[in-house]
Amino acid sequence: MTVQLDAPRAPVSGGPRQRHLPGEEGLWVFILGDLLMFGVFFGVLVVSRAKDVVVFAEAQAHLHVELGLLNTVFLLTGSWFVARGMQALKARSPRRTAWFVAALGTALAFATVKVLEYSLLISEGQTPADNDFFMYYFVFTGIHLAHLVIGAVFLTILVTIARRPQLTKGRFRLAECGAVYWHMVDMLWLVLFPLLYVVR
Amino acid sequence: MARKVQIVCASMGFAFVVVLFGGIIVAGMLPPFSPSAGAEEVAAWYQDNTNGIRFGMVLMMFGALMTAPWGALLAAHIKKVEGEFTPLTYTFLAATAAGCVAIFMPVMIFSAAAFRPERSAEITQTLNDMAWIPFIMNGPPAITQAIVLGAAILMDKRARPAFPRWAGYYNFWVGFGFLPACILLYFKSGPFAWNGVLSFWLAAVVFGTWFITMSILMLRALPEREERPETADDELILAAQ
């Protein structure tokens, strides 16, 4: 059983502790690229808002802030579950699978609330075609939801990795990639939520 | 010889970017024509730029096919990863062919629109829509190429893989970059319209840099130069003075 999972290539004698990048270097090309793309989304949103402050404020009042807040809580809890799960995975704790199953639960809860929120808005007569605010709201939260669905697939992989009695270097690396991706989904929402629901 | 063929195929990515975007600029399509323009305005644009558009389209027509050797070399690399049983290679090739068409087809319609610009304005506008919409909305071939290539790069377990692993993740990201354009049918203005920040500019930058990046990576993955057995062509005709 590998003990040195955290720093696979750590020097044997007392050199400085090697820095460990979770997952693998290449994954961060994707993570930073995706953050860059969402950065463009956020920029577009802020610029359009500045052009049409009144319409944006009026439309924003129709959003269900409490549902958005609930979803924020789900994602934050989910990230914590994943972090605990990764610790448990390294420590070979018997509860490691449970943490990831719980995280998967928060992902499903988020998706359920989001779909409920969409249908509420549409039944109240707010559609993407109404104004720029709702166009951005539906498109950006929709793209985020697509990321979350991919994240849920990753969490499922994490569950299967955790369930195996043996942990290999390759599987641990894959698990770290999944965890990093999940934290990214969480982080994007933490910018998207205030930008859409709260900023006035 | 194989090495030279690889150099040509890989370099087609550079040539493609120069010729495609060169054609777009010559045709006066940068920045793109707004989808919210009226029929008269569209017709006037074709009447005022007729020859520029025609020449630009000839360039873009050849540009479209430059993606074929570029994609073929990538497919050959994917085949090396897959071994004998090669579904990813075939998927990549099919998507590459679709990618050629995705550029070629709208270019043909732009050409038809610029052929008789004096016709009634509504018809020109229809042709203009028929060309711009597929030209920008045609993400799926490239998305398929990017995902298949990304997967193959990450699957490469050889001691000396052709491409660095970051390139696999980079390709996944490229696939995401082409997604916003898929909803342009709903918009005649704003960032998702066919001339918008996300549908056009983001996708164009990601698309162009993707071809260049993969060209560079393919050149770096060239096989070692090897000694070739002498043939009749190597026989000296003139000795050095």
Side-chain angles (χ1 to χ4, degrees):
Chain A
M1 190 95 291
T2 337
V3 193
Q4 281 284 345
L5 282 173
D6 222 349
R9 280 182 219 93
V12 187
S13 59
R17 192 177 176 279
Q18 251 185 336
R19 287 169 64 205
H20 171 66
L21 196 64
E24 56 177 318
E25 245 171 66
L27 171 73
W28 291 86
V29 172
F30 177 87
I31 299 284
L32 295 176
D34 219 34
L35 292 180
L36 183 75
M37 212 174 299
F38 266 87
V40 176
F41 291 176
F42 298 148
V44 163
L45 186 61
V46 170
V47 170
S48 316
R49 163 189 291 279
K51 279 190 209 152
D52 224 344
V53 184
V54 182
V55 172
F56 270 66
E58 226 170 85
Q60 191 189 43
H62 293 284
L63 287 186
H64 303 272
V65 187
E66 64 289 347
L67 292 180
L69 196 61
L70 182 64
N71 263 345
T72 309
V73 174
F74 281 145
L75 283 191
L76 285 174
T77 324
S79 260
W80 183 68
F81 286 158
V82 168
R84 290 305 304 268
M86 289 305 289
Q87 286 173 348
L89 191 65
K90 264 187 279 189
R92 308 308 297 146
S93 149
R95 260 177 304 180
R96 58 188 190 265
T97 313
W99 288 117
F100 293 124
V101 172
L104 191 58
T106 61
L108 295 180
F110 181 97
T112 313
V113 169
K114 200 81 224 147
V115 171
L116 177 79
E117 202 182 338
Y118 284 155
S119 45
L120 263 178
L121 283 171
I122 291 169
S123 71
E124 288 161 7
Q126 315 296 337
T127 65
D130 284 355
N131 53 51
D132 279 358
F133 177 81
F134 274 105
M135 187 263 287
Y136 289 123
Y137 170 82
F138 278 101
V139 172
F140 290 157
T141 58
I143 293 175
H144 178 265
L145 189 61
H147 278 71
L148 182 119
V149 171
I150 297 169
V153 174
F154 259 126
L155 290 178
T156 315
I157 295 173
L158 279 168
V159 171
T160 61
I161 290 175
R163 282 180 52 156
R164 285 172 184 269
Q166 264 104 32
L167 181 64
T168 62
K169 216 186 233 181
R171 288 202 195 101
F172 184 70
R173 191 170 66 178
L174 182 61
E176 277 191 332
C177 288
V180 166
Y181 180 86
W182 184 256
H183 291 317
M184 184 194 73
V185 171
D186 186 5
M187 195 175 96
L188 290 175
W189 178 255
L190 289 182
V191 183
L192 207 51
F193 171 67
L195 219 50
L196 283 170
Y197 291 75
V198 187
V199 171
R200 302 226 184 269
Chain B
M1 212 56 191
R3 190 184 151 90
K4 285 176 190 156
V5 172
Q6 286 198 30
I7 292 173
V8 173
C9 287
S11 306
M12 280 297 162
F14 305 122
F16 166 69
V17 170
V18 171
V19 173
L20 181 88
F21 286 95
I24 289 178
I25 291 167
V26 168
M29 284 160 54
L30 213 67
F33 208 70
S34 169
S36 58
E40 295 299 332
E41 209 181 324
V42 175
W45 182 71
Y46 279 90
Q47 284 153 14
D48 297 343
N49 301 291
T50 312
N51 288 323
I53 298 170
R54 288 172 181 169
F55 183 52
M57 290 310 133
V58 174
L59 286 178
M60 288 167 73
M61 175 173 77
F62 282 101
L65 265 292
M66 289 176 179
T67 62
W70 179 87
L73 181 54
L74 285 170
H77 276 295
I78 297 174
K79 195 173 169 197
K80 282 269 187 190
V81 175
E82 282 195 298
E84 206 173 323
F85 195 70
T86 57
L88 289 182
T89 309
Y90 296 141
T91 310
F92 189 87
L93 271 182
T96 301
C100 283
V101 177
I103 300 170
F104 203 80
M105 187 269 281
V107 165
M108 290 297 117
I109 299 171
F110 277 125
S111 307
F115 183 59
R116 280 185 228 279
E118 70 286 351
R119 72 169 85 71
S120 73
E122 279 78 13
I123 295 174
T124 299
Q125 189 187 32
T126 305
L127 289 171
N128 187 60
D129 286 347
M130 283 176 66
W132 270 111
I133 291 170
F135 188 52
I136 305 300
M137 203 172 75
N138 59 17
I143 293 172
T144 307
Q145 282 177 306
I147 291 173
V148 168
L149 181 56
I153 292 174
L154 293 184
M155 278 163 52
D156 195 345
K157 300 287 185 240
R158 290 173 296 169
R160 291 183 60 194
F163 301 118
R165 286 183 65 82
W166 64 259
Y169 292 104
Y170 167 71
N171 270 278
F172 291 146
W173 175 73
V174 165
F176 271 137
F178 301 138
L179 282 179
C182 297
I183 52 172
L184 67 79
L185 286 182
Y186 297 93
F187 304 102
K188 296 203 172 52
S189 64
F192 297 104
W194 80 46
N195 66 342
V197 175
L198 300 178
S199 286
F200 180 80
W201 294 101
L202 176 80
V205 170
V206 172
F207 190 64
T209 49
W210 179 49
F211 271 83
I212 291 171
T213 307
M214 290 321 297
S215 284
I216 294 172
L217 289 179
M218 282 191 281
L219 288 176
R220 287 173 55 178
L222 285 177
E224 303 284 326
R225 225 180 244 103
E226 54 187 55
E227 284 298 317
R228 151 178 88 81
E230 285 206 359
T231 64
D233 284 349
D234 295 318
E235 202 178 317
L236 278 181
I237 299 172
L238 278 174
Q241 298 288 311

